[in-house]
Amino acid sequence: MEAAPAKAKPQGRLLVSTQLDAKDDLEEKLERCIGAVHSLINGLSEREANDALTANVCKGQQQHEEVCLGLFALLLTEPAQAQRCYRDLTLVNRDGMNVVLVKINQILMEKFLKLQDVPRKQLVWLVRELVKSGVMAADGVVMTLLKQIAGGDVSTKNLWLAESVLDILLEQKEWVLKSGMLIAMSVYTFLRLIVDHGAPNLLPLRQKEVDFCIGMLREKFLECVIIGRDLVRLLQNVARIPEMDLLWRDLLHNPQVLSPQFTGILQLLTARTSRKFLACRLTPDMETKLLFMTSRVSGDFLRPSGDFLCASALSRSLARPAQVRFGQQKRYQDWFQRQYLSMAESQSLRCDLIRYICGVVHPSNEVLSSDILPRWAIIGWLLTTCTSNVAASNAKLALFYDWLFFNPDKDSIMNIEPAILVMHHSMKPHPAITATLLDFMCRIIPHFFPPLEVQVRQGVFNSLTFIMEKRVLAHLAPLFDNPKLDRELRSMLRERFPEFCSAPSPPMEVKMEEMTCMEMEHMMDKEEGCYDNTEAAFSDDEEEVNNKGKKREFRFHPIREAVVEEPADITPWLDQLEDTMKEKVVQLQKSRSEVNPDAEVATFSRSIDHHHHSEDFDTEQMSALASCLAEIFKEHFRGDVLPEDITDESLEESVCKAVCLVFRNLVTMQEDNSGFSVLLDMLAELYQKQPKIGYHLLYYLKASKAANGKMMLYESFAQATALGDLHTCLMMDMKACQEDDVRLLCYLTPSIYSEFPDQTLRSGELLNMIVAVIDSTQLQELMCHVMMGNLVMFRKDSVLNILIQSLDWETFEQYSTWQLFLAHSIPLETIIPILQHLKYKEHPEALSCLLLQLRREKPSEEMVKMVLSRPCHSEDQFTTSLLRHWASKHDDTLAEHIKAQLIKNNNQPRKRQSLRSSSSKLAQLTLEQILEHLDNLRLSLNNTKNSFFSQTPILQALQHVQASCDEGHKMRFSDLFALAEEYEDSQAKPLKSRRKAAATSPRSRKGVAPPSNNEEESASSSASEEEDSKPKAPKRKRKCSSAVASDSD
């Protein structure tokens, strides 16, 4: 019995383990590396130890990795030696800490929960030191560390980690501000954590988080905008904190304070949140468990104890494919709930999980058609675990959040699919869940943000339409008009969504033989729950089929109402009007039913006169009158507004409708007239009932002779609306016009840009609306307007920002934007910095337009610098083709500019740097880059009569560079430098030049290239040997860029 302790497995110093756990591979490797370091430095002084380590790392890659990892492991396990180990590590590493950064990320993603207390604290200390030292790609490690801060967890360890990371960010604020992705990720993380830290003992931590988030949002709001609509969701949750309330008010009512380029909250709400933000609020362990439950993985999926396998075990296992089958998920859900959802504070974690499942977990068609646990089943279970009304409401909002501003052209069907399937499959076993979700969907429309009620309604309608279009459900009537729902809810659904509550017409019916049913025996009716496998596109996460014509037809189905055969029913609002006004409205309705335009106009004119002279006309009556007018005149808002043949007579005739009398009275009144404000208020009420009134007013102000020069009345109208903001109102009205009548949009465009330049020229939102729908003829017409001086769509101070925004648009939209830009007389130097944003595979439209324009220009120094700043790639011919063209047309000018760049970059101290640093997304011009482009140009000009490389400035510059560059560059660009040697031979004395050539010419050493490599390998103090090996530089570039890689969804 007493011998047992002697046989016990020794506990490692890095990871917590039990007697049953096998020795961890990573821990074993790090212990071997510690042993190797000890064998090198035992008994030596600090200087001798450093020399020994330096000599060892120069022997090869294996020894370099062994020493770096040994020092790294010592740093984690021996706090007393941490400072010395970190100093030695910075001195001996030869890869910019890459080996250590990779291992830190591995530990954070796979081993962090198993770390002992000392290594955990030391790991955070090491991250702090890396940040202080400005190590490249340290921002990626910080973002991985942020992911380990669990939501809904107020344990001591989690609070310590949150505060430690926050302290790093606060102490190194200047460093943080260099990385836009780190700013956005940290703001998203701590905005979410503020909700969990409301207890009295956590208020100091919460205050630090609030101060950090407010500071970043106010200083770097544009960097935070990339978060998308979930930024609004998180800010809503903390808006009652006094400091946050001020920021929230600015976001709603004064967006320009945050950033001149920020147009308003609608800009955020219409942008889908990238999956990297949704995923960052789940720890790697949570993420592994969720992915395990919703996908097919290799390996045994249970430990003997019944727990999940860890991520590394899952990835290494080669046993049979494992999956959680639908109907057998209870044991996994129970484990997950015990582990993460059992505490009262974990109520807030449900939202993170639901947003992750909707936005990140997008199964393939194979998984969807299998019996693997579907996403909707997990979400339904999460909804049932909510124990408070607030948590339940937040969870439902998280589920429907992508519905509210859903755009089929930009958003994915996979984001909205879980909500409809939860409601569909819960109808039989849990009708209460379906009822509460349907009720929430109806009530969120008017209550989410009243000024944007129209947009929310359209977003929900778009979602339901797209769900039917993609055959997620065959039709919605069995769900919306189900007898299991109470009468009040069914009535509300019929009122909100009449298009989906009736049985489908014959063209909309889906034949059952064309679809394949999912076998869900316990939860699903086969005739109602079928998927059309021919619509496979919805299951693939990034594949968005661009079928705008079809989508547009569905999107505007509610506007395309059936022909009205009976008079409008205005009874509900008539009783709210006083007798005189009620009589006028009844007469107006009667004249409409008699189809007597003259009588209609006369009656309406009398109504309007009575209305704006009434002093006791209260808000309730105004709203009732607006509802009556919207119903009576809804026919006016159908069909095209702009005449087919545009003449003075046809335009005047088009503005003679009865509804235009309101506009006419507004135009003829003086602004100090008492009836002017009353009429504006009535128009604002009418605008809420009928949003098309906005662009109809714009059309009247442009087309009517009576309104000549009165376009600014629209600004008064916009300020009177519930939106209260000219820019937001204008963008909404132009969007509505774009959806209804593209011809009218093009007709209004010159006036809108000329009358409201501050609202139109600083943002690409309106421009995108236009180029997204115009055809080639309309594009040509707009270009003619520009060249005649009738239209200005760009100006120098904002054109670069707009062109950068356009890089994410569709191909035709980008080409149209560039055509419109080129129609202006803006110097090309204004937008040449855009070259630093262009990637040859992602932005061919902008590159081709720039190439054609630059070839017409005489190269300037800035142009040449920007063109040479492009990274060299064998498939990217932009720089080479342009330089070749300039070399044939402007050879002397180009030679002078290249000479200036070569000498300037050669004189700068050369540091090891990637062409794309982690702190900047823009390329930096380096000497190596210029030489690569020149070498490509030399190869391109071979076998041609072009004498560009025989010019004195080029040869002098190459001679200057050759004299001071290292052996690696001389060998790599030997053919290029040979041109300088020939020039030198022709200028110097024969004997001297021969002696110099023999001493310095890389060509003379070509025959002994292999031995020189051996010599370089043994030289430990040469800083150039890292650049001498060509494959290393691109490798570092990929490592660096992966930390802040642009999101493809």
Side-chain angles (χ1 to χ4, degrees):
M1 294 293 291
E2 295 180 2
K7 296 180 181 179
K9 184 184 69 172
Q11 175 75 37
R13 294 189 296 171
L14 188 66
L15 304 177
V16 175
S17 61
T18 66
Q19 295 298 319
L20 297 177
D21 290 328
K23 186 70 173 178
D24 187 84
D25 293 341
L26 175 62
E27 190 169 22
E28 273 190 324
K29 180 177 180 178
L30 293 178
E31 286 176 355
R32 287 197 303 269
C33 293
I34 290 176
V37 170
H38 278 312
S39 68
L40 289 171
I41 65 174
N42 273 350
L44 302 179
S45 66
E46 286 193 15
R47 183 168 183 175
E48 292 171 337
N50 184 259
D51 291 342
L53 293 173
T54 302
N56 193 61
V57 300
C58 293
K59 293 180 180 179
Q61 181 62 32
Q62 181 178 350
Q63 289 82 359
H64 174 263
E65 181 177 350
E66 194 173 60
V67 169
C68 288
L69 292 183
L71 291 171
F72 167 65
L74 277 172
L75 188 151
L76 294 184
T77 55
E78 300 288 346
Q81 301 183 39
Q83 288 285 1
R84 177 184 173 183
C85 290
Y86 181 73
R87 184 197 62 201
D88 291 344
L89 188 59
T90 58
L91 291 174
V92 304
N93 86 91
R94 289 291 182 269
D95 63 350
M97 293 281 194
N98 184 57
V99 170
V100 175
L101 292 174
V102 170
K103 204 56 63 178
I104 293 175
N105 272 319
Q106 181 184 353
I107 291 175
L108 286 174
M109 293 299 292
E110 299 179 11
K111 312 290 183 184
F112 190 76
L113 293 180
K114 298 178 68 177
L115 281 178
Q116 297 185 31
D117 290 343
V118 170
R120 181 185 288 109
K121 292 179 181 178
Q122 287 302 110
L123 186 62
V124 174
W125 178 87
L126 175 57
V127 173
R128 186 191 304 269
E129 294 303 309
L130 292 172
V131 171
K132 283 183 181 179
S133 304
V135 174
M136 189 179 299
D139 53 346
V141 173
V142 174
M143 286 188 276
T144 308
L145 193 58
L146 283 169
K147 186 176 174 65
Q148 280 292 353
I149 307 173
D153 181 359
V154 291
S155 63
T156 304
K157 287 183 179 180
N158 196 59
L159 292 173
W160 168 82
L161 180 60
E163 189 160 16
S164 299
V165 177
L166 182 59
D167 287 340
I168 294 174
L169 298 176
L170 290 171
E171 291 167 7
Q172 305 299 323
K173 183 178 178 182
E174 293 301 319
W175 174 83
V176 173
L177 294 178
K178 297 177 183 177
S179 173
M181 182 53 66
L182 178 59
I183 292 171
M185 194 73 74
S186 56
V187 166
Y188 187 88
T189 298
F190 287 106
L191 274 179
R192 164 64 187 86
L193 294 175
I194 288 171
V195 176
D196 298 333
H197 301 157
N201 60 312
L202 302 180
L203 289 182
L205 172 59
R206 190 182 82 167
Q207 189 59 47
K208 287 171 67 175
E209 293 168 338
V210 168
D211 294 341
F212 171 77
C213 292
I214 290 178
M216 287 297 170
L217 285 166
R218 290 204 177 272
E219 290 181 41
K220 294 288 183 179
F221 188 77
L222 277 186
E223 281 75 3
C224 300
V225 166
I226 63 172
I227 296 173
R229 59 176 63 116
D230 276 79
L231 176 60
V232 179
R233 181 176 65 86
L234 296 181
L235 285 172
Q236 273 184 298
N237 293 337
V238 298
R240 293 189 178 183
I241 298 174
E243 298 92 329
M244 284 293 183
D245 181 59
L246 296 175
L247 179 73
W248 181 248
R249 292 178 184 275
D250 284 341
L251 184 71
L252 295 182
H253 307 299
N254 197 9
Q256 299 292 316
V257 170
L258 300 175
S259 171
Q261 287 79 38
F262 182 51
T263 59
I265 195 170
L266 190 61
Q267 178 182 339
L268 280 173
L269 291 170
T270 53
R272 180 162 58 127
T273 297
S274 167
R275 58 180 52 201
K276 60 167 64 79
F277 294 108
L278 300 177
C280 82
R281 288 321 316 127
L282 267 63
T283 65
D285 192 56
M286 293 180 198
E287 196 170 5
T288 301
K289 305 301 188 295
L290 275 182
L291 292 176
F292 172 78
M293 287 196 286
T294 56
S295 59
R296 192 191 304 270
V297 294
S298 293
D300 300 324
F301 52 93
L302 282 178
R303 290 181 178 274
S305 63
D307 287 353
F308 285 97
L309 279 177
C310 67
S312 56
L314 282 174
S315 61
R316 290 196 303 268
S317 179
L318 299 176
R320 63 180 177 83
Q323 61 194 52
V324 179
R325 289 183 171 85
F326 182 54
Q328 301 176 358
Q329 71 269 24
K330 187 175 186 305
R331 62 189 302 190
Y332 305 99
Q333 292 175 349
D334 290 345
W335 185 94
F336 196 94
Q337 184 162 6
R338 287 196 306 271
Q339 188 77 5
Y340 300 115
L341 303 176
S342 58
M343 303 298 292
E345 297 83 3
S346 64
Q347 292 290 324
S348 61
L349 181 59
R350 271 89 169 161
C351 299
D352 300 333
L353 295 170
I354 291 173
R355 294 297 295 146
Y356 177 85
I357 293 171
C358 291
V360 180
V361 182
H362 290 178
S364 64
N365 281 328
E366 179 188 4
V367 172
L368 285 174
S369 58
S370 69
D371 59 352
I372 293 176
L373 183 65
R375 297 187 299 163
W376 61 262
I378 300 178
I379 291 176
W381 162 67
L382 288 172
L383 291 173
T384 62
T385 64
C386 294
T387 57
S388 73
N389 292 334
V390 173
S393 296
N394 289 336
K396 286 182 278 191
L397 180 61
L399 179 60
F400 282 103
Y401 205 62
D402 288 311
W403 288 53
L404 305 183
F405 296 89
F406 183 79
N407 183 346
D409 295 338
K410 297 178 181 179
D411 294 312
S412 170
I413 184 67
M414 299 300 285
N415 290 25
I416 61 174
E417 180 203 56
I420 197 71
L421 292 183
V422 170
M423 294 187 286
H424 175 72
H425 293 302
S426 300
M427 182 61 81
K428 283 188 176 180
H430 304 290
I433 292 179
T434 302
T436 188
L437 290 177
L438 287 172
D439 180 75
F440 183 86
M441 183 180 70
C442 290
R443 297 184 188 279
I444 195 66
I445 293 174
H447 295 122
F448 176 74
F449 186 47
L452 295 183
E453 178 181 351
V454 174
Q455 286 76 12
V456 176
R457 186 187 305 277
Q458 187 65 46
V460 175
F461 180 84
N462 288 345
S463 302
L464 295 171
T465 302
F466 207 50
I467 283 167
M468 292 182 63
E469 180 183 342
K470 292 298 183 182
R471 302 297 190 267
V472 178
L473 293 182
H475 46 84
L476 298 174
L479 177 65
F480 285 6
D481 203 18
N482 196 294
K484 288 192 175 184
L485 303 176
D486 63 75
R487 184 177 300 176
E488 182 181 353
L489 178 57
R490 289 164 66 186
S491 174
M492 184 162 55
L493 285 166
R494 281 194 296 270
E495 179 185 347
R496 301 274 189 195
F497 309 107
E499 302 85 357
F500 305 108
C501 291
S502 56
S505 57
M508 290 292 291
E509 289 179 357
V510 181
K511 296 181 180 179
M512 294 305 296
E513 58 266 24
E514 294 177 357
M515 306 192 316
T516 303
C517 297
M518 286 184 68
E519 299 296 334
M520 304 265 182
E521 296 140 8
H522 304 294
M523 302 291 288
M524 181 176 176
D525 275 336
K526 290 188 177 181
E527 63 273 14
E528 294 180 8
C530 301
Y531 288 84
D532 184 355
N533 286 341
T534 61
E535 298 285 352
F538 83 88
S539 298
D540 294 328
D541 141 45
E542 303 299 340
E543 192 175 341
E544 294 291 338
V545 178
N546 188 5
N547 190 4
K548 293 185 178 178
K550 186 175 182 182
K551 289 178 180 176
R552 192 175 298 120
E553 179 184 349
F554 274 93
R555 192 183 308 153
F556 306 122
H557 186 270
I559 297 173
R560 197 181 59 203
E561 302 170 16
V563 177
V564 180
E565 299 293 345
E566 56 187 41
D569 182 15
I570 59 173
T571 308
W573 301 290
L574 278 178
D575 293 338
Q576 301 175 33
L577 299 175
E578 50 96 11
D579 294 340
T580 307
M581 182 57 70
K582 182 191 299 185
E583 181 182 349
K584 302 288 185 184
V585 172
V586 171
Q587 291 178 11
L588 180 60
Q589 183 185 26
K590 185 178 180 182
S591 65
R592 288 282 298 131
S593 63
E594 293 173 355
V595 196
N596 185 347
D598 293 336
E600 178 184 345
V601 171
T603 303
F604 188 53
S605 180
R606 290 193 297 271
S607 302
I608 292 299
D609 289 341
H610 180 273
H611 165 61
H612 70 68
H613 285 101
S614 298
E615 297 179 356
D616 57 347
F617 205 71
D618 58 24
T619 304
E620 184 179 350
Q621 290 200 50
M622 189 176 293
S623 177
L625 177 60
S627 299
C628 292
L629 296 179
E631 186 67 25
I632 292 172
F633 292 119
K634 62 184 178 182
E635 186 65 31
H636 283 320
F637 299 101
R638 295 197 185 102
D640 294 337
V641 180
L642 192 65
E644 191 66 32
D645 296 322
I646 301 178
T647 64
D648 290 344
E649 293 77 13
S650 61
L651 289 175
E652 280 299 322
E653 184 178 349
S654 67
V655 294
C656 288
K657 297 179 180 178
V659 73
C660 293
L661 285 176
V662 185
F663 307 149
R664 189 183 70 187
N665 285 4
L666 194 66
V667 167
T668 56
M669 282 186 187
Q670 299 296 324
E671 293 194 15
D672 55 357
N673 190 310
S674 60
F676 182 82
S677 59
V678 177
L679 200 53
L680 270 182
D681 293 341
M682 200 274 284
L683 266 180
E685 285 291 334
L686 188 57
Y687 185 61
Q688 290 190 11
K689 318 298 179 186
Q690 177 51 267
K692 296 184 182 183
I693 200 78
Y695 73 79
H696 277 71
L697 174 58
L698 285 170
Y699 172 68
Y700 179 85
L701 294 174
K702 177 175 173 62
S704 175
K705 292 180 180 179
N708 189 23
K710 296 291 186 72
M711 183 63 79
M712 296 310 294
L713 280 176
Y714 177 81
E715 183 173 359
S716 301
F717 162 75
Q719 292 170 353
T721 63
L723 298 172
D725 175 63
L726 174 59
H727 184 275
T728 305
C729 192
L730 183 62
M731 292 303 111
M732 287 175 53
D733 290 340
M734 296 305 285
K735 181 64 175 175
C737 181
Q738 177 221 39
E739 294 170 346
D740 290 351
D741 191 343
V742 177
R743 287 181 64 243
L744 179 58
L745 177 71
C746 296
Y747 176 77
L748 292 175
T749 294
S751 297
I752 297 304
Y753 271 94
S754 62
E755 296 290 343
F756 308 109
D758 291 338
Q759 280 67 40
T760 55
L761 293 175
R762 294 185 179 275
S763 169
E765 184 179 355
L766 177 58
L767 180 63
N768 191 19
M769 287 183 206
I770 296 169
V771 298
V773 293
I774 59 174
D775 57 26
S776 53
T777 302
Q778 292 161 336
L779 172 62
Q780 191 263 345
E781 291 174 356
L782 289 176
M783 291 174 65
C784 291
H785 281 300
V786 172
M787 297 187 68
M788 290 189 295
N790 301 329
L791 173 61
V792 177
M793 304 181 79
F794 301 98
R795 62 185 180 193
K796 290 183 181 181
D797 62 344
S798 58
V799 60
L800 178 60
N801 183 42
I802 292 176
L803 289 177
I804 292 173
Q805 291 178 41
S806 73
L807 298 178
D808 296 326
W809 301 351
E810 298 296 329
T811 294
F812 181 77
E813 296 170 8
Q814 290 194 53
Y815 278 129
S816 299
T817 300
W818 280 96
Q819 292 292 323
L820 290 168
F821 165 73
L822 295 176
H824 291 69
S825 299
I826 298 178
L828 203 60
E829 285 86 350
T830 306
I831 57 103
I832 198 68
I834 197 175
L835 272 174
Q836 295 182 299
H837 297 265
L838 303 182
K839 302 175 184 176
Y840 74 99
K841 283 188 176 179
E842 297 177 20
H843 308 122
E845 302 90 349
L847 281 171
S848 59
C849 292
L850 264 177
L851 184 63
L852 292 176
Q853 190 63 17
L854 283 169
R855 72 188 297 272
R856 299 186 179 95
E857 300 282 332
K858 183 177 180 180
S860 65
E861 183 177 356
E862 183 66 15
M863 286 182 186
V864 173
K865 178 183 177 182
M866 289 298 172
V867 170
L868 291 174
S869 295
R870 291 190 56 73
C872 293
H873 194 282
S874 58
E875 297 179 24
D876 185 4
Q877 300 295 323
F878 179 90
T879 299
T880 304
S881 61
L882 187 55
L883 291 178
R884 175 170 175 158
H885 176 79
W886 279 342
S888 64
K889 300 292 184 182
H890 311 283
D891 54 345
D892 53 345
T893 306
L894 179 62
E896 290 293 342
H897 291 325
I898 291 180
K899 175 184 177 181
Q901 293 301 323
L902 277 170
I903 294 176
K904 177 181 178 182
N905 283 274
N906 189 49
N907 291 337
Q908 291 178 352
R910 288 188 288 278
K911 301 178 181 178
R912 288 174 311 182
Q913 61 177 350
S914 167
L915 293 182
R916 194 166 189 181
S917 69
S918 64
S919 63
S920 174
K921 294 185 178 181
L922 302 182
Q924 299 173 358
L925 183 59
T926 63
L927 177 62
E928 182 178 4
Q929 207 169 5
I930 302 175
L931 292 175
E932 284 183 349
H933 286 308
L934 284 179
D935 205 34
N936 289 338
L937 178 61
R938 179 188 61 79
L939 293 173
S940 172
L941 292 176
N942 276 351
N943 303 322
T944 67
K945 296 180 180 180
N946 192 293
S947 58
F948 177 74
F949 282 99
S950 64
Q951 295 183 94
T952 300
I954 287 291
L955 296 173
Q956 288 176 341
L958 289 174
Q959 184 181 356
H960 180 84
V961 172
Q962 184 187 24
S964 60
C965 71
D966 54 54
E967 290 299 322
H969 284 89
K970 289 179 181 178
M971 292 297 299
R972 183 175 176 186
F973 303 108
S974 58
D975 292 334
L976 194 60
F977 288 133
L979 302 173
E981 292 170 15
E982 294 170 3
Y983 171 72
E984 183 182 1
D985 292 343
S986 67
Q987 298 294 318
K989 292 180 180 180
L991 181 61
K992 183 179 179 181
S993 73
R994 281 198 301 272
R995 193 160 53 243
K996 185 173 182 180
T1000 63
S1001 172
R1003 287 192 303 163
S1004 66
R1005 302 185 184 183
K1006 284 188 178 179
V1008 291
S1012 70
N1013 287 341
N1014 293 334
E1015 292 172 7
E1016 290 168 15
E1017 192 173 350
S1018 64
S1020 63
S1021 62
S1022 174
S1024 67
E1025 70 179 8
E1026 296 169 20
E1027 300 173 3
D1028 207 14
S1029 176
K1030 189 174 181 178
K1032 286 185 180 180
K1035 181 176 181 182
R1036 285 202 306 274
K1037 179 180 176 182
R1038 285 194 298 272
K1039 291 289 183 183
C1040 177
S1041 61
S1042 64
V1044 290
S1046 59
D1047 185 32
S1048 62
D1049 58 338

